[in-house]
Amino acid sequence: GQSLEQPSEVTAVEGAIVQINCTYQTSGFYGLSWYQQHDGGAPTFLSYNALDGLEETGRFSSFLSRSDSYGYLLLQELQMKDSASYFCAVRASNQAGTALIFGKGTTLSVSS
Amino acid sequence: NAGVTQTPKFQVLKTGQSMTLQCAQDMNHNSMYWYRQDPGMGLRLIYYSASEGTTDKGEVPNGYNVSRLNKREFSLRLESAAPSQTSVYFCASMLEVTGNTQYFGPGTRLTVL
């Protein structure tokens, strides 16, 4: 089966840098994705890593180490609007196809 | 281009009642998904459809049925609602089942009394 572990909560102050870790177990790895969800809203795609290394998109970066079954999301120059839940996700496969399986999410609280 | 739409936005049911949650996407995506989200549990996959004409069970399919009506529409049916099905339901779509970017609808908040 598949499982993902990420911290339940992280707190930080405006302007700081925060890292949200994700470890996964999966049979057949197709890449690690990150999604952001504000309170009351829908999840939105942030980034995707299929290969080892760092992917940068503005203030957000995502890292993957396939040998360690580990990845992280790095948020820099934190802003109040970054307060949200962040989910890592992996593609899971079965005989019928593949689907994204999500972790339980990390709630990030940014204070001034 | 509306993306992924869901109806209704809110619903209250009594135990034993049935209802269908509707989902439609206008992005010409092949794959569609139904998730439920409960506090502290993240997003759990109920059913998905890799392409028109196919459906498959996810992590928590019991008590639900789905229909992939056509390429655009994917509905979720609760035949006999139970309080344990109180949740927020999200529909999502993805260009291909082998993709990595899912687009989510706004969600349906369902309460079963």
Side-chain angles (χ1 to χ4, degrees):
Chain A
Q2 288 76 30
S3 67
L4 298 103
E5 294 288 332
Q6 53 181 129
S8 58
E9 290 182 31
V10 174
T11 59
V13 296
E14 272 188 305
I17 299 172
V18 74
Q19 178 174 311
I20 299 173
N21 299 320
C22 175
T23 56
Y24 59 86
Q25 283 188 311
T26 180
S27 51
F29 180 73
Y30 302 94
L32 184 70
S33 302
W34 290 92
Y35 286 75
Q36 178 191 59
Q37 184 182 29
H38 286 100
D39 232 13
T44 56
F45 173 79
L46 283 178
S47 69
Y48 171 72
N49 295 69
L51 302 174
D52 289 355
L54 194 67
E55 294 281 342
E56 297 180 69
T57 310
R59 295 186 297 114
F60 294 1
S61 303
S62 56
F63 172 82
L64 175 66
S65 169
R66 289 176 297 169
S67 60
D68 295 322
S69 297
Y70 163 77
Y72 66 72
L73 181 69
L74 189 73
L75 297 85
Q76 302 181 77
E77 300 172 20
L78 281 173
Q79 302 175 11
M80 298 291 285
K81 67 179 181 179
D82 297 328
S83 293
S85 292
Y86 293 85
F87 297 89
C88 56
V90 292
R91 290 237 308 278
S93 60
N94 61 26
Q95 68 277 14
T98 66
L100 279 185
I101 302 298
F102 287 78
K104 293 184 178 179
T106 299
T107 300
L108 170 63
S109 299
V110 180
S111 58
S112 56
Chain B
N1 191 335
V4 181
T5 57
Q6 291 183 237
T7 55
K9 286 190 166 57
F10 300 93
Q11 183 71 49
V12 179
L13 293 177
K14 294 181 179 177
T15 297
Q17 287 185 316
S18 62
M19 80 160 296
T20 300
L21 280 64
Q22 306 287 353
C23 173
Q25 53 90 10
D26 61 2
M27 296 176 281
N28 203 33
H29 286 174
N30 287 307
S31 304
M32 298 186 73
Y33 306 80
W34 276 106
Y35 293 90
R36 62 176 287 173
Q37 186 172 38
D38 304 293
M41 297 297 293
L43 291 152
R44 291 186 291 171
L45 183 66
I46 305 171
Y47 271 93
Y48 70 102
S49 170
S51 60
E52 188 179 353
T54 69
T55 61
D56 201 27
K57 295 178 181 179
E59 303 168 83
V60 289
N62 291 345
Y64 305 96
N65 285 300
V66 290
S67 296
R68 183 74 183 265
L69 303 168
N70 47 55
K71 191 171 185 178
R72 291 186 63 248
E73 298 172 289
F74 189 39
S75 62
L76 178 72
R77 182 159 179 84
L78 287 71
E79 289 292 350
S80 178
S84 61
Q85 294 178 305
T86 293
S87 188
V88 180
Y89 292 85
F90 287 101
C91 176
S93 73
M94 193 154 67
L95 181 59
E96 296 290 347
V97 72
T98 52
N100 57 76
T101 307
Q102 283 193 345
Y103 296 85
F104 286 80
T108 294
R109 280 150 181 78
L110 175 67
T111 301
V112 183
L113 302 174

